[in-house]
Amino acid sequence: MGRRGITRLVAVVALIAAIAAPAMAQDKSIKIGVVYDLTGPYAGGGSDLQYLGAKIIIDYVNAHGGVEGYKIDPVYADAQSKPDVAINEAVRLIEQEKVDMLLGFYASSECVPVAARVEQFKKFMWITTCIASPVLADRHLQYVFRPQPFGTQWGLASTAMLTYYAKQMFGMDPKDLKVAIIHEDGPYGTDVAKGNVEGAAKGGLQVVMNEGYSATTPDLSSLVTKLKRARPDVILHTGYNPDISLFLRQAREGGLHFKALIGHGAGYTDYNKLKSSSGTDINYFMDVDPISIWEVKPDAIEADLRPMVQMVGDAYMKAKPDTVLKSAHVGMAASNTWLFFTKVLPRAIKVYGGIDAEALRKAALDVDVPDGGTMLGFGVKFEPESGEMAGQNTRAYPVVVQYIDDKSYVVWPKALQQREPVLKLPDSSPYAAN
């Protein structure tokens, strides 16, 4: 072959390589099993909104070229608000769908067993939501990571606020303020209640009742009767939905009165569903959860995150145009999913050579995000596997918000406060105590 022929051959080979390279890049993908509860009581408690937040980010990432040449290939699954289904779906995704990792999970009652099962498979699990401490506490898991705060922090936040404002808002010393703790009896509600008990003891609050119930119970009238006997000033409630709506309806019918109610995430974070079932009765109720990304002050987060907050909000309203108040659930999942795609996955590919569980684990442990580095405002640093809460984000925290006239305001902690809380229900409330 002459020089001219060789030159042509080289040119053809180069052209084929140039054409094939993008095709090869497009063929690279990370297959992610995305698990939420799309049916059942956990869906009504906010899991369907968490799913929406994660999906918004996955769709956005794919529309903008994927991550380091990898397309995101999601395989969505419905855990149906049942722990056994969540386990079976996780196993199916790993064994049959051959996913590279799992993302999502809303209910702590599902996360506790699923995390152990995923660890056995040595697959990577990125938890966007479920908060109970037992998901991670003393388990020293290697491949399970949670950027969320953990449940005990919810209970500590509400009781810290009550302790601080007892004298100012109620005219009582903390020891005279009567608090009732009621909660669904799964890992989530039990863990938050544990924080309530710990925080009440620390602040000297008077706990007059501490009782759990099944989230699927059809009747809470006996709980209402017990509360009427205990006569609490404040009710601290942790539940999903429809149990929250059931409780509020039966409390009103049973003539239960109190001065304040503080919910703890899940069903209390979906204002729109609460209002659809209870109307204006929920005015001045409070809720504990990570801050809504739409309530974070723009100058408190990195500049490149601000358009992402806008994008998520626009996509949310397009999907649910009847929304009265954007739920923190959507932004929570969006922020935590975006964190994975921008801080963990790129590092696994570039520094540790791939998308296997070991590369993702090392990349997650390297994450060191200061405050302001997520849409939720807080930073990220995961506890190593030797720690008591291995895989837990040590920089995450919840806030307390109050719903007033179809708006929400951060009322605790003081550093993030948009206004002071109103800790005594107005006389117009059907629950207001005399």
Side-chain angles (χ1 to χ4, degrees):
M1 183 180 293
R3 177 178 293 181
R4 182 175 295 177
I6 293 174
T7 301
R8 287 175 178 171
L9 178 61
V10 170
V12 170
V13 170
L15 178 60
I16 292 172
I19 295 171
M24 289 173 65
Q26 289 174 0
D27 288 341
K28 289 199 303 183
S29 66
I30 176 169
K31 198 171 187 181
I32 300 179
V34 183
V35 184
Y36 288 101
D37 304 282
L38 305 181
T39 54
Y42 299 156
S47 187
D48 58 344
L49 294 173
Q50 293 272 343
Y51 155 80
L52 175 61
K55 187 176 186 302
I56 287 171
I57 293 299
I58 291 170
D59 291 347
Y60 178 89
V61 169
N62 276 334
H64 290 78
V67 178
E68 299 295 330
Y70 282 78
K71 175 189 174 184
I72 310 305
D73 183 10
V75 183
Y76 294 100
D78 178 10
Q80 301 177 27
S81 301
K82 299 174 183 176
D84 58 334
V85 174
I87 297 169
N88 291 339
E89 284 297 275
V91 172
R92 179 184 67 82
L93 289 167
I94 293 170
E95 291 188 331
Q96 297 179 28
E97 297 290 346
K98 306 297 182 185
V99 299
D100 298 297
M101 61 164 288
L102 294 170
L103 177 147
F105 299 96
Y106 176 76
S108 297
S109 59
E110 298 168 358
C111 271
V112 172
V114 170
R117 197 77 176 93
V118 173
E119 185 81 359
Q120 289 176 343
F121 280 103
K122 290 184 166 50
K123 285 291 184 180
F124 188 83
M125 179 176 177
W126 185 258
I127 297 172
T128 61
T129 317
C130 52
I131 65 169
S133 300
V135 175
L136 299 175
D138 297 318
R139 302 178 88 178
H140 305 285
L141 302 177
Q142 290 184 289
Y143 302 109
V144 181
F145 290 83
R146 177 171 62 189
Q148 283 283 80
F150 56 93
T152 308
Q153 291 175 286
W154 268 247
L156 292 172
S158 56
T159 49
M161 182 182 70
L162 288 176
T163 301
Y164 183 89
Y165 282 112
K167 195 74 174 178
Q168 178 183 337
M169 295 286 182
F170 295 104
M172 301 179 186
D173 290 328
K175 65 181 177 61
D176 297 320
L177 189 66
K178 295 186 291 184
V179 174
I181 302 166
I182 59 173
H183 60 92
E184 66 87 27
D185 60 8
Y188 154 64
T190 302
D191 195 40
V192 174
K194 178 183 175 183
N196 286 145
V197 171
E198 182 181 332
K202 183 178 179 180
L205 302 172
Q206 184 184 160
V207 177
V208 296
M209 182 174 165
N210 181 5
E211 185 155 336
Y213 63 87
S214 170
T216 58
T217 184
D219 185 11
L220 287 170
S221 58
S222 62
L223 181 66
V224 171
T225 300
K226 291 178 182 179
L227 284 165
K228 289 181 70 176
R229 290 173 186 158
R231 301 184 65 183
D233 297 303
V234 181
I235 294 177
L236 303 175
H237 188 191
T238 305
Y240 288 107
N241 225 332
D243 59 301
I244 291 174
S245 296
L246 174 65
F247 168 70
L248 294 177
R249 176 173 60 80
Q250 293 190 322
R252 179 170 182 168
E253 292 171 351
L256 177 63
H257 297 284
F258 44 84
K259 294 177 181 176
L261 183 146
I262 305 175
H264 297 87
Y268 280 104
T269 303
D270 188 352
Y271 178 84
N272 307 286
K273 193 174 292 293
L274 275 178
K275 185 170 183 182
S276 69
S277 62
S278 300
T280 57
D281 288 2
I282 62 172
N283 213 18
Y284 291 93
F285 283 5
M286 283 164 276
D287 176 44
V288 185
D289 230 339
I291 194 169
S292 166
I293 63 173
W294 299 285
E295 290 178 352
V296 177
K297 296 177 182 178
D299 60 359
I301 60 174
E302 293 177 359
D304 60 348
L305 293 173
R306 297 168 200 166
M308 291 303 301
V309 171
Q310 181 67 44
M311 183 279 295
V312 174
D314 292 345
Y316 179 2
M317 295 306 295
K318 184 177 180 180
K320 294 186 177 292
D322 294 333
T323 296
V324 176
L325 182 64
K326 290 195 286 290
S327 171
H329 281 308
V330 174
M332 207 182 305
S335 179
N336 291 333
T337 303
W338 182 246
L339 175 70
F340 174 76
F341 287 133
T342 56
K343 301 297 183 183
V344 179
L345 183 55
R347 187 168 184 82
I349 295 167
K350 291 189 292 185
V351 177
Y352 297 110
I355 57 173
D356 60 276
E358 191 61 26
L360 292 169
R361 179 187 74 84
K362 290 177 180 177
L365 288 172
D366 285 349
V367 170
D368 188 359
V369 176
D371 282 352
T374 68
M375 284 185 258
L376 291 166
F378 51 65
V380 184
K381 185 65 181 174
F382 293 106
E383 193 164 328
E385 62 196 64
S386 59
E388 293 181 2
M389 290 282 284
Q392 173 63 42
N393 179 12
T394 61
R395 294 175 181 167
Y397 53 83
V399 301
V400 183
V401 300
Q402 185 165 35
Y403 299 125
I404 302 176
D405 299 331
D406 289 342
K407 295 182 180 179
S408 65
Y409 301 90
V410 178
V411 295
W412 188 263
K414 292 285 285 184
L416 299 174
Q417 197 174 68
Q418 294 174 322
R419 60 174 292 168
E420 286 201 323
V422 178
L423 281 177
K424 292 181 71 174
L425 292 172
D427 293 339
S428 57
S429 171
Y431 305 107
N434 295 327

